[in-house]
Amino acid sequence: MLVFCKWTRQLLADMAVAFFAVTCSWSAVAQGVGNPNYEQVAQKWLLKELPTVASADGTALRMEANVGDLDRRLRLAPCSKVEPYLPFGARLWGKSQVGLRCVEGPVHWNVTMPVSVNAYGPAWVIRGQVAAGAVVTDADVVQSEVNWAEDTNPVLGEREAWVGQVATRTLVTGQTLRQGMVKPAQVFQAGAPVRVVAQGVGFQISSDAQALSAGVVGQSARVRMENGRVTMGVVLDGRTVQIDL
């Protein structure tokens, strides 16, 4: 009887181990042992969806995209049709994300993958150091190929967008000129004498005035006319303000 009981216990133990092994194997198959190469699915889709961006001279930027890895701890259910998509609020520029969702399978899962989009092309790069508040000139920059998508701030591709403007902070060698790094220079202070011009069809009139606010080219400034009238105009240069009639 003792031998029989030992044999029975051993048999039950062996059956339990076998059952556990079969159950685990079935579960692994149901969830997917590892994931298929969804990175390739995302990469193929991404290359078709990359935007076409042109530099200031009209040359198309050289676009590159790299897809990161899915979390290797994920065990996604088998799927016969996976659909890549761009998540809401994401853009194919710099560090971003691409979504993958299962649209035909036993479980409709949805995951995201990290992506990096680069855009190479010519841009203006600082070749020395420009102090904050100093005027940026042609001598301060050089053209070089850079990754436009390295920063979210737009590249200042047009020369007119930065030349003669002042640095908003200290600019150092290798920095690409981008929006927010320069601003229009102040050309006169409040109290300075200015010339106000108004132009219509076939005529132009001008008059002396006094600036009531600082003048920045392209921006509005308040002036007091000779007759005491206060008005607003657009600063054209260090001496001239244009007003509407």
Side-chain angles (χ1 to χ4, degrees):
M1 177 65 72
L2 182 59
V3 174
F4 178 80
C5 290
K6 287 183 177 179
W7 180 84
T8 302
R9 286 198 298 271
Q10 184 62 45
L11 178 61
L12 292 174
D14 292 343
M15 292 176 63
V17 171
F19 176 80
F20 179 77
V22 171
T23 302
C24 289
S25 298
W26 181 87
S27 177
V29 171
Q31 297 182 37
V33 180
N35 297 319
N37 199 337
Y38 290 131
E39 289 86 352
Q40 289 186 0
V41 175
Q43 181 81 25
K44 185 177 180 180
W45 175 84
L46 190 59
L47 292 176
K48 293 190 299 183
E49 296 297 320
L50 284 177
T52 299
V53 183
S55 62
D57 63 3
T59 304
L61 300 184
R62 177 167 53 86
M63 306 296 292
E64 293 181 358
N66 298 296
V67 178
D69 296 330
L70 274 174
D71 188 336
R72 294 306 178 187
R73 295 169 297 181
L74 288 175
R75 290 296 181 264
L76 302 175
C79 184
S80 58
K81 184 177 180 181
V82 175
E83 181 180 85
Y85 69 97
L86 189 65
F88 178 77
R91 59 193 294 252
L92 297 180
W93 193 261
K95 301 295 183 184
S96 188
Q97 289 185 323
V98 166
L100 293 176
R101 54 192 168 208
C102 177
V103 294
E104 289 183 13
V107 178
H108 285 192
W109 44 260
N110 192 337
V111 296
T112 57
M113 304 176 66
V115 299
S116 178
V117 177
N118 301 319
Y120 295 100
W124 300 101
V125 177
I126 299 295
R127 64 176 175 184
Q129 180 169 304
V130 181
V135 175
V136 181
T137 69
D138 288 311
D140 297 314
V141 303
V142 64
Q143 270 206 324
S144 181
E145 183 176 83
V146 303
N147 180 9
W148 286 42
E150 190 175 26
D151 193 287
T152 55
N153 291 323
V155 168
L156 298 178
E158 298 284 351
R159 177 180 176 276
E160 293 73 18
W162 54 265
V163 69
Q165 301 205 20
V166 297
T168 58
R169 58 183 183 273
T170 299
L171 307 179
V172 298
T173 301
Q175 282 186 303
T176 303
L177 277 174
R178 295 177 181 271
Q179 196 173 90
M181 295 173 66
V182 296
K183 65 180 180 180
Q186 180 178 311
V187 291
F188 58 75
Q189 297 179 338
V194 294
R195 192 74 173 165
V196 173
V197 297
Q199 189 168 352
V201 179
F203 72 93
Q204 183 183 65
I205 59 175
S206 63
S207 175
D208 291 331
Q210 183 183 39
L212 298 181
S213 61
V216 175
V217 174
Q219 298 185 12
S220 297
R222 294 174 65 242
V223 296
R224 178 182 288 116
M225 308 292 289
E226 289 183 313
N227 61 6
R229 175 192 170 203
V230 175
T231 186
M232 296 282 290
V234 176
V235 179
L236 299 183
D237 54 41
R239 182 78 173 82
T240 313
V241 176
Q242 184 176 32
I243 64 173
D244 294 327
L245 293 177

